Amino acid sequence: MLGRDYAGQNCSVARALEVVGERWTLLILRDAFFGVTRFELWQRRLRIAPNILAKRLDSLVAAGVLERERYQERPERFDYRLTPRGKELFPVIMGLLSWGDANRAPDGPPALARHAACGAPVTRWGRCEPCGREVDPDEVAWHWGPGSGRPPGLRPRPPAAPAPRASS
């Protein structure tokens, strides 16, 4: 019988699932790769209960997948950004996206990942074949796909966080 955690298993997949295997976590990460950094925007996009979202974000920060940076003191609010460890999950997200597009998207892919430098598709492994290299998640331009129900084109990125204020 499968327990509530994988603590007794000597398996890297099980250990990875300890970090990303909870319900909502992969969707939070997907949106982080789309450029979402704010609690309120995740909550609005995913329609997730605030207590669950807070718990998932805290666990991703504790695991070193996201980092938290305060952008407002009163009330206290934070941006959450992918760390280098979090960016290593990009091929995982791309693999799931590719599988979902092939097997669960009858109208075609809702989102298309293109290498911003050359416009070529990013593969399920997070690579740009024409450039012959892995693509950093920050180098991806997300486009509306045919399954999105929207006209083709570049998906707008979520609003950027304001620059930190200089201390006086």
Side-chain angles (χ1 to χ4, degrees):
M1 181 170 163
L2 187 61
R4 294 186 69 71
D5 63 34
Y6 307 101
Q9 294 191 30
N10 185 17
C11 171
S12 295
V13 172
R15 290 179 182 145
L17 285 173
E18 286 288 331
V19 176
V20 300
E22 290 281 349
R23 182 180 166 101
W24 296 108
T25 302
L26 287 171
L27 295 176
I28 291 167
L29 288 171
R30 175 207 60 195
D31 281 2
F33 285 109
F34 283 166
V36 175
T37 63
R38 300 272 170 103
F39 185 96
E40 297 79 15
L41 189 52
W42 266 302
Q43 191 178 12
R44 194 168 47 246
R45 287 172 59 99
L46 298 175
R47 296 184 182 133
I48 181 174
N51 61 321
I52 300 296
L53 178 57
K55 185 176 178 182
R56 296 298 180 271
L57 290 171
D58 287 346
S59 71
L60 289 167
V61 168
V65 173
L66 294 176
E67 61 187 0
R68 191 168 82 156
E69 183 178 325
R70 185 171 54 204
Y71 70 88
Q72 180 177 308
E73 289 190 30
R74 294 184 189 215
E76 195 171 49
R77 294 180 190 231
F78 298 91
D79 274 326
Y80 295 85
R81 301 197 184 281
L82 291 160
T83 64
R85 181 181 289 177
K87 289 180 180 183
E88 289 176 6
L89 290 165
F90 183 61
V92 174
I93 294 295
M94 288 303 297
L96 286 169
L97 181 107
S98 179
W99 185 89
D101 289 346
N103 295 284
R104 306 298 290 177
D107 297 327
L112 302 170
R114 300 216 175 270
H115 186 200
C118 71
V122 176
T123 70
R124 68 174 14 159
W125 300 281
R127 292 187 52 81
C128 176
E129 293 303 334
C131 294
R133 66 179 187 83
E134 290 183 17
V135 175
D136 186 273
D138 295 329
E139 300 174 317
V140 173
W142 291 97
H143 292 256
W144 296 113
S148 70
R150 297 177 186 238
L154 192 64
R155 289 175 61 125
R157 287 192 61 84
R165 292 186 215 160
S167 55
S168 41

